[in-house]
């Protein structure tokens, strides 16, 4: 069958692929430790699960308004006010089936052929493909490890052209964990306003920050940039709710209403039951979030220090999210039994074959010098896994 050309323009999500591969090898009996997961290893907190069960018992099982139930929109409005000092009305909020779906609808609402969208690299794997599916061109903006993997305003200004429609920012970042300060965002906001482009701010890791690093959204900088910002967030990462599929956007009414229109012709509303659970996540007891972040913080400290202890690996210390993105390029060109490590994909393959370790190649995120490890796995797995990586590296000649 001849498929539509758009299918050939994109790739299946490489992070979901590595998780599937690790699971398949495990099913064959191999003792795989996976650092591939892009989701918290905790259960959804009990109060949230109970809220969902209650909603089923109450028969809250029908279609809801396309963009989300008023109760959830109000919980989101209150969250944005409480946590970020941002004021929005119901017509400026849309709830979708996960932040990924939010981004997809947003791209469909905003981008078309001829548009350029600036995607800083290392980037979350889905950004370029979501832009491509909308017919626009992702313009990859390489950040430097020396700049903390961050966009700097002067370099940003240089890549903006007459075709530039938007910049996608992700802070804290998947895969690097880099997080912008308020002042850094303020400098970027000046460029956004001056060049009159849109900024898409993916804040899904807002709650997962370490060492007291304060979270800032670019929309907090001022009214002029807020009018050009679409804040994207969700409950997946903060509340260990990846399977529930609830994400949301807050932004200018015309954009939000276009996203809602598009959603009305693809999924209709997000799941009624999940919406009730998300209300509880946002309004209910927040203590589980802090407990998860504390566990992530201990793991981060251990994994960064132990990776840095392996000769040939250097590791950037992430301020947020639950990934490390070590530079392993010093190992390229080395060999094992005659086969050469040529880059991040080949190193990832080597770790899987020789050490039963699953990681994602940096190339999938736009940086072949690195690999990504998720530390959303137990301390026991992390200890054993890093030891295996160390031994595998020692075998290279
Ligand atoms: C996990 C993730 C998302 C998607 O989250 P869902 O709400 O589960 O769709 C979006 N952006 C980034 C950077 C992520 O890591």
């Amino acid at each position: 069958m001849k498929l539509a050309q758009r299918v050939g323009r994109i790739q299946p999500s490489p992070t979901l692929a590595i998780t599937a591969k690790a699971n398949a090898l495990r099913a064959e009996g191999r003792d795989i430790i996976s650092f591939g997961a892009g989701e918290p290893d905790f259960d959804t907190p009990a109060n949230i699960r109970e809220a969902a069960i209650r909603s089923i018992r109450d028969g809250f099982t029908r279609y809801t308004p396309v963009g989300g139930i008023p109760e959830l929109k109000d919980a989101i409005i209150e969250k944005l006010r409480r946590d970020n000092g941002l004021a929005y009305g119901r017509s400026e909020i849309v709830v979708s089936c996960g932040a990924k779906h939010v981004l997809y609808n947003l791209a469909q609402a905003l981008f078309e052929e001829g548009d350029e969208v600036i995607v800083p690299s290392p980037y979350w794997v889905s950004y370029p493909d979501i832009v491509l599916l909308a017919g626009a061109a992702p313009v990859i903006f390489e950040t430097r490890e020396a700049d903390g993997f961050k966009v700097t305003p002067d370099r940003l200004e240089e890549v903006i052209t007459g075709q530039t429609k938007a910049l996608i920012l992700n802070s804290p970042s998947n895969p690097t964990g880099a997080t912008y300060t308020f002042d850094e965002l303020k400098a970027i906001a000046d460029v956004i306003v001056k060049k009159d482009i849109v900024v898409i701010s993916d804040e899904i890791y807002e709650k997962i920050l370490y060492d007291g690093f304060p979270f800032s959204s670019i929309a907090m900088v001022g009214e002029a940039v807020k009018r050009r910002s679409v804040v994207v967030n969700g409950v997946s990462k903060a509340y260990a709710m990846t399977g529930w599929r609830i994400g949301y956007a807050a932004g200018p009414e015309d954009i939000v209403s276009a996203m809602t229109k598009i959603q009305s012709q693809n999924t209709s509303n997000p799941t009624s039951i999940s919406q009730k659970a998300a209300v509880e996540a946002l309004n209910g007891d927040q203590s589980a979030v802090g407990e998860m972040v504390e566990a992530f913080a201990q793991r981060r400290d251990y994994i960064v220090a132990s990776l840095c202890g392996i000769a040939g690996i250097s590791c950037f210390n992430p301020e947020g999210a639950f990934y490390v993105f070590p530079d392993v390029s010093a190992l390229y060109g080395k060999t094992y039994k005659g086969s050469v490590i040529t880059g991040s994909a080949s190193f990832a393959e080597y770790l899987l074959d020789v050490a039963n370790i699953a990681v994602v190649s940096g190339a999938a995120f736009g940086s072949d010098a690195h690999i990504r490890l998720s530390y959303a796995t137990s301390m026991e797995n992390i200890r054993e896994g890093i030891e295996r990586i160390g031994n595998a590296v020692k075998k290279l000649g």
Side-chain angles (χ1 to χ4, degrees):
M1 188 69 72
K2 186 181 177 298
L3 299 173
Q5 281 183 8
R6 78 175 67 83
V7 180
R9 283 203 293 261
I10 63 162
Q11 309 226 332
S13 165
T15 48
L16 298 181
I18 191 82
T19 306
K21 187 164 181 193
N23 287 340
L25 291 173
R26 248 186 230 124
E28 283 171 18
R30 284 203 17 213
D31 170 28
I32 304 287
I33 293 180
S34 179
F35 292 105
E39 61 179 340
D41 53 321
F42 302 102
D43 288 330
T44 304
N47 60 314
I48 299 172
R49 286 184 278 157
E50 286 306 321
I53 292 165
R54 224 179 303 126
S55 78
I56 294 173
R57 292 221 171 93
D58 293 347
F60 193 72
T61 53
R62 298 175 193 271
Y63 292 134
T64 74
V66 170
I69 53 176
E71 189 188 1
L72 178 52
K73 285 194 177 185
D74 289 347
I76 292 164
I77 289 166
E78 174 54 21
K79 180 262 166 227
L80 290 163
R81 190 199 60 75
R82 179 181 70 221
D83 295 351
N84 314 111
L86 292 170
Y88 289 99
R90 280 187 190 166
S91 61
E92 296 169 303
I93 305 286
V94 57
V95 184
S96 302
C97 310
K100 189 185 271 188
H101 186 215
V102 170
L103 290 162
Y104 186 85
N105 286 340
L106 179 56
Q108 294 293 318
L110 220 48
F111 307 145
E112 59 196 349
E113 210 129 317
D115 289 339
E116 294 176 357
V117 180
I118 300 173
V119 178
S121 79
Y123 47 74
W124 183 49
V125 293
S126 293
Y127 297 141
D129 288 3
I130 287 173
V131 171
L132 286 167
L133 281 171
V139 174
I140 306 304
F141 175 116
E142 266 183 56
T143 67
R144 297 179 284 227
E145 191 157 346
D147 292 332
F149 290 116
K150 289 176 196 175
V151 171
T152 53
D154 47 327
R155 291 186 63 219
L156 174 63
E157 204 162 338
E158 281 168 25
V159 297
I160 295 176
T161 71
Q163 269 63 57
T164 305
K165 189 81 194 243
L167 162 72
I168 303 182
L169 270 189
N170 175 214
S171 172
S173 152
N174 174 4
T176 64
T179 307
Y180 289 81
T181 65
F182 183 84
D183 288 342
E184 287 165 345
L185 292 170
K186 193 164 183 293
I188 293 171
D190 288 343
V191 180
I192 300 290
V193 172
K194 179 174 160 198
K195 296 289 184 177
D196 194 20
I197 64 170
V198 173
V199 59
I200 297 170
S201 183
D202 181 345
E203 304 179 357
I204 196 89
Y205 294 102
E206 171 191 7
K207 296 292 173 200
I208 304 172
L209 276 167
Y210 309 117
D211 310 324
F213 198 102
F215 177 78
S216 302
S217 165
I218 194 162
M220 288 160 56
V221 167
E223 266 311 306
V225 73
K226 182 172 176 258
R227 276 199 299 277
R228 292 171 176 81
S229 302
V230 182
V231 169
V232 177
N233 207 329
V235 295
S236 283
K237 308 291 161 60
Y239 302 98
M241 290 177 72
T242 45
W244 300 76
R245 312 310 303 130
I246 295 289
Y248 56 86
E253 192 171 335
D254 54 343
I255 299 179
V256 164
S257 119
M259 291 165 72
T260 310
K261 184 178 178 185
I262 283 167
Q263 180 159 300
S264 78
Q265 294 297 10
N266 57 58
T267 59
S268 302
N269 59 277
T271 308
S272 60
I273 300 154
S274 294
Q275 290 189 65
K276 285 286 190 183
V279 169
E280 174 62 23
L282 295 174
N283 287 347
D285 180 16
Q286 300 293 304
S287 56
V289 180
E291 286 160 24
M292 288 190 264
V293 173
E294 209 169 292
F296 285 138
Q298 283 177 7
R299 298 169 186 179
R300 180 203 64 161
D301 291 346
Y302 179 82
I303 201 168
V304 170
S306 57
L307 280 169
C308 286
I310 299 174
I313 298 183
S314 72
C315 191
F316 176 80
N317 193 28
E319 286 114 9
F322 40 68
Y323 310 97
V324 278
F325 201 61
D327 184 330
V328 294
S329 59
L331 302 172
Y332 300 170
K334 291 185 181 282
T335 57
Y336 176 70
K337 290 187 179 164
S339 60
V340 185
I341 306 293
T342 54
S344 61
S346 121
F347 184 59
E349 212 168 295
Y350 170 71
L351 289 180
L352 194 55
D353 290 345
V354 171
N356 283 335
I357 294 291
V359 302
V360 188
S361 72
F365 305 91
S367 179
D368 197 40
H370 299 85
I371 55 172
R372 190 194 77 172
L373 288 80
S374 158
Y375 48 92
T377 185
S378 69
M379 212 39 189
E380 197 186 342
N381 277 344
I382 294 171
R383 281 210 185 85
E384 165 75 17
I386 301 299
E387 194 178 315
R388 286 193 202 172
I389 293 173
N391 290 335
V393 167
K394 274 187 210 136
K395 285 184 194 160
L396 293 171

